[in-house]
Amino acid sequence: MTTPRTNAAKTFRIGGEIEVNRLGFGAMRITGPGVWGEVADREEALRTLKRLPELGVNFVDTADSYGPNFSEQLIREALHPYGSMLVATKGGLLRTGPDQWMPLGFPEYLIQQAHTSRWRLGVKQIGLWQLHRIDSRTPRDKQFAAVARLREEGVIRHAGLSEVSVEEIEAASKFFPVATVQNRYNLGDRASEKVLDYCTERGIGFIPWYPLAAGKLTQPGSALSTVARQHNATPGQIALAWLLQRSPVILPIPGTSKVAHLEENMAAARIVLSEQEFELLDREGRRSV
């Protein structure tokens, strides 16, 4: 059984120093279909981004591959200068079309992409830059060394990884302090449980992508729908509340291009599940895997 933790700790310090509110925003959906090209309703996407600071959101996660480039550009248009907001980005994936993603870990490419992200975002230094994928065709130590070089040269302040194992985190840690790990994880997908526990023990921020996926858990009569009804909330809000209570290092980043959906997601930070509710959802989530 997973031990529940309160979500009373509303903030987390990335790299031990950059404090952010734990419920952030993922900027993949402010692009076109297949995460390719411009978003259909550009003005609504801009309104959504501009609403973030009003709702207390000060952690935004994007990537150079979202669009590609369009997500970073739109974020700058809506939010620059960022003030106390941390805009994290990622590099290491090549885009060739809608829903097409190819890891590309040449050190020279990673360094180039970090610089171009910095310029697109309009910052002197990227507060958090994450290796989007480890490219199996390039020696990983060369990729880690490129990330270390970016830190040493001041292009990025903190570095993270995405879709990695505990062994890969430990390998990367020989080159730079791993500030965050971004793996797929949600109520119904526990494949990264060991990675999450490792991050929790070491104070590494864990950013679960696809945080709202719950599959059959959302069906009428399910535990999720029952708990949601008891809190006068949506199943998605309860799924986010569960994540916030699962571990103090979890930083969910639900994404949307609509203001109404954004406001709904952010309301999840006010929901506190009882120990019984948390355990019920935990059990049902594990059974659904």
Side-chain angles (χ1 to χ4, degrees):
M1 181 181 71
T2 302
T3 302
R5 296 174 180 265
T6 178
N7 62 355
K10 301 294 185 181
T11 65
F12 177 80
R13 291 185 180 271
I14 291 177
E17 63 170 11
I18 303 179
E19 187 171 20
V20 298
N21 294 325
R22 288 179 56 208
L23 189 52
F25 176 79
M28 185 173 72
R29 296 184 183 277
I30 56 169
T31 59
V35 199
W36 184 256
E38 290 194 271
V39 65
D41 191 339
R42 193 172 185 277
E43 292 307 311
E44 177 67 5
L46 284 170
R47 283 192 291 270
T48 301
L49 289 169
K50 291 177 180 179
R51 187 80 173 99
L52 293 176
E54 298 171 350
L55 294 173
V57 179
N58 61 359
F59 176 51
V60 174
D61 177 85
T62 186
D64 64 6
S65 56
Y66 295 168
N69 306 337
F70 286 113
S71 178
E72 291 179 331
Q73 292 167 356
L74 207 61
I75 288 169
R76 179 176 183 173
E77 181 178 342
L79 297 171
H80 189 274
Y82 307 107
S84 61
M85 178 176 286
L86 171 63
V87 179
T89 192
K90 300 182 287 294
L93 287 179
L94 188 67
R95 298 300 307 281
T96 56
D99 291 317
Q100 295 179 32
W101 313 77
M102 183 175 72
L104 186 58
F106 295 146
E108 298 83 0
Y109 179 74
L110 298 178
I111 290 169
Q112 171 188 284
Q113 293 307 95
H115 278 283
T116 55
S117 285
R118 180 167 62 97
W119 298 330
R120 273 191 299 273
L121 291 170
V123 294
K124 291 182 178 180
Q125 183 182 63
I126 296 171
L128 174 63
W129 186 89
Q130 301 152 101
L131 181 60
H132 213 154
R133 291 292 186 278
I134 297 174
D135 181 5
S136 61
R137 300 169 301 170
T138 301
R140 68 183 185 184
D141 283 3
K142 290 187 176 182
Q143 298 171 68
F144 298 154
V147 179
R149 175 180 165 184
L150 289 169
R151 288 188 72 249
E152 292 164 2
E153 295 180 352
V155 178
I156 66 176
R157 187 172 186 84
H158 295 289
L161 302 168
S162 181
E163 281 306 298
V164 289
S165 64
V166 168
E167 189 273 333
E168 288 168 330
I169 298 171
E170 292 177 336
S173 296
K174 297 176 182 178
F175 292 82
F176 57 87
V178 177
T180 57
V181 168
Q182 187 164 162
N183 280 17
R184 176 168 168 156
Y185 184 85
N186 53 61
L187 187 57
D189 184 345
R190 310 296 183 80
S192 289
E193 202 84 67
K194 290 183 180 178
V195 174
L196 171 57
D197 289 341
Y198 180 90
C199 290
T200 301
E201 292 169 1
R202 290 158 179 79
I204 297 171
F206 185 91
I207 306 170
W209 62 272
Y210 213 19
L212 292 175
K216 63 183 181 181
L217 292 174
T218 62
Q219 294 176 356
S222 67
L224 184 58
S225 64
T226 299
V227 173
R229 187 168 58 253
Q230 292 170 345
H231 284 267
N232 193 28
T234 67
Q237 288 172 326
I238 298 301
L240 288 171
W242 183 88
L243 282 171
L244 288 168
Q245 288 181 224
R246 169 62 182 87
S247 167
V249 306
I250 284 187
L251 308 170
I253 49 167
T256 180
S257 61
K258 307 293 183 182
V259 172
H261 191 204
L262 170 68
E263 293 173 343
E264 178 182 295
N265 287 339
M266 292 306 114
R270 299 193 294 269
I271 299 173
V272 178
L273 303 173
S274 69
E275 184 173 344
Q276 292 75 20
E277 289 172 332
F278 181 94
E279 292 176 355
L280 172 63
L281 294 172
D282 184 64
R283 288 195 302 271
E284 291 301 310
R286 291 180 186 279
R287 289 172 184 167
S288 71
V289 176

